[in-house]
Amino acid sequence: MKRVILVISSVLAFGFWSEVFAESFGCPKPYSSHNPMSATSFAKTYRGTSTDRAFSVQQTSDGGYTVAGYTNSFGAGSWDIFLIKTDANGNVVWAKTYGGTDWDNAYSVQQTSDGGYIVAGETYSFGAGYYDIFLIKTDANGNVQWAKTYGGTYYDYASSVQQTSDGGYIVAGRTRSFGAGYDDIFLIKTDANGNVQWAKTYGGTYNDEAYSVQQTSDGGYIVAGATASFGAGGDILLIKTDADGNIIWAKTYTYGETSYDIAYSVQQTSDGGYIVAGWTESFGADGNIFLIKTDASGNVQWAKTYGGTGYDRAYSVQQTSDGGYIVAGWTWSFGAGHYDIFLIKTDANGNVVWAKTYGGTDWDYAYSVQQTSDGGYIVAGYTESFGASYDDIFLIKTDADGNIGSCSIVQNVSPTVNTVSPTVTTPSPSVSSVILTVYFESPTVTSPTLTVSELCPLSISELCQITSGLITPYKGGIKVRGSGEFEVKVYNVSG
């Protein structure tokens, strides 16, 4: 990384400064401070000999990444939870599997305040029923600190987990063991050790599912998913609760009475509202990406669709540092192959800043995106176009413009954007408090050796972000005021 160096030539013995200037190689010069940044980009696959898939990625406090999914290549059973820790360049630091003799899958991971990780998914190897919610807490090296299952006699799944402000965890998914209907939304709040503080179901007569949860600034929670019980019978469902899981409001959103609409990702925005991403069947031959911005009460501020004539799906959205949004999913409408990874950057009003696809001649999927500390983006999913003959984990790191150097797997595309006015209803889901049986589990842990393939050479681009600043010399010293990070070097007349 280039650094801004303030080179100050002085004659200290005479008590005055003869020259002050800013030298920033590749950046504009004198009398202003600059903050050069380097953005690393790469595209890599991680695999064994069979199927390996990723569904969640997060940048870690050391600048690297943690990736969660499942594997059929390694582990103790048919499918095992797969956790990979990489450095900032995508090189594997460690990789571990967790599971039993049957199926164990992970869909969400987050680094915790102690430097470890919380992983949520489902298990058929352990628990009380068919599938149970599976929560694993590890240390910074992926060693299990505790592992617990939560569920009843039927099917219970977790799609999303987040550490809460009290050090505990909020888990969202769906249950067939409890609730009012066939599948109900399932929300579980635990303490830091995974002990249940409360568990509640939300739903109606038919299927109601949650795919994303986030703690909100008031200490409550926002939950996004889909409902067949309310609205037109295939709508996006957004539920806002207080800290104890009691409903403050619930709303459905659809565009087209006969279409199917679903939300996979929600985030509270800087203005206190929410951004929701998923897809709708109302546009395109097979459905388009659906992005909805609401205020704090769930009222629509704007709603837009993005896509072409084929399948276009969004599974992850995040507000970016400039107030806009980054959306990740996959597309049949654009790109080089069948499905390609689809990344869309918008401004604060949902207008497309850029849109790009990443992939080869077969199938490539993205399920998770996050803006990184250098202003770029990290994307996780899996690929059939590259690597082995099966699915391989696919990790893409882009710069702020979605580029990976001059890599040929990237294409610029222009999706059709429609501004729409969704139909909104205010349902009253049935809420039930659940007493859960929780089991302590001891999954088998392995440390496999992965085959890593580099599809795009590591690229490091240098950015100069001009920041305001003032350098004032005075007798005996200097005063530096400004924003951004820079290094000051002071030299005397002898150098």
Side-chain angles (χ1 to χ4, degrees), residues 181-199:
Y182 193 65
D183 280 352
D184 271 21
I185 287 173
F186 205 6
L187 207 57
I188 302 172
K189 174 67 177 71
T190 79
D191 64 16
N193 296 313
N195 302 309
V196 175
Q197 295 177 310
W198 54 259

Side-chain angles (χ1 to χ4, degrees), residues 10 46 67 99 113 143 150 164 182 217 225 242 280 309 326 339 348 367 378 390 396 416 418 470 475:
S10 63
Y46 307 78
V67 183
S113 56
N143 302 307
Y150 310 79
T164 50
Y182 193 65
S217 57
D242 63 16
T280 176
T309 57
I326 188 73
Y339 288 130
Y367 289 93
I378 187 73
Y390 300 94
I396 297 174
T416 299
N418 292 289
L470 179 65
K475 185 175 181 179

Side-chain angles (χ1 to χ4, degrees), residues 41 59 232 309 453 470:
S41 58
Q59 188 172 37
T309 57
S453 299
L470 179 65

